[in-house]
Structure formats: structure tokens, C-alpha cells
Amino acid sequence: HKERFIKHLTGPLSFSPKCRKHFHRLYHNTRDCTTPAYYKRCARLLTRLASSPRCTER
């Protein structure tokens, strides 16, 4: 359920290979992404990560 809910909030996000490690760390280890009550904050974090300079460079 988590994945579908967050995808619904963020839309399709793509992460470059450099960024994937950060994404996994955020997605699996932060309180915002492991507690259903905080999924909106998790979605915001992931969106910001996807648009950060580190993740937009290819």
C-alpha cells in the first residue's frame, strides 16, 4: 500500500543511479516513510530528493 500511496502523491519519480542509494535510505529508514501517518511528508522528501542537484545530474 505504501508504494502506491506515495506514488499517487508524488507522481512518477525517476532517480539516477547515483541517487538511488539516497532514495533507498530515505524510503526504508526514515520515520516519515515507515509510519503511515507521515506518508505525505515522505512524499515531499522524495520529491525534493528527485529535484535536488545531486539527482538531476545524469
Side-chain angles (χ1 to χ4, degrees), residues 2 6 21-36 38-39 41-46 49:
K2 170 173 123 173
I6 290 175
K21 184 170 63 177
H22 300 287
F23 164 75
H24 279 288
R25 194 175 297 145
L26 233 171
Y27 189 77
H28 296 291
N29 299 326
T30 61
R31 184 190 68 179
D32 291 351
C33 294
T34 53
T35 310
Y38 296 121
Y39 283 172
R41 287 164 65 180
C42 177
R44 192 175 328 127
L45 285 171
L46 294 176
L49 178 67

Side-chain angles (χ1 to χ4, degrees), residues 1 6 8 12-13 16 20 24 30-31 36 39-40 45-46 50 54-55 58:
H1 289 320
I6 290 175
H8 170 75
L13 292 177
S16 67
R20 205 152 301 218
H24 279 288
T30 61
R31 184 190 68 179
Y39 283 172
K40 281 187 176 157
L45 285 171
L46 294 176
R54 180 186 289 140
C55 294
R58 296 268 168 213

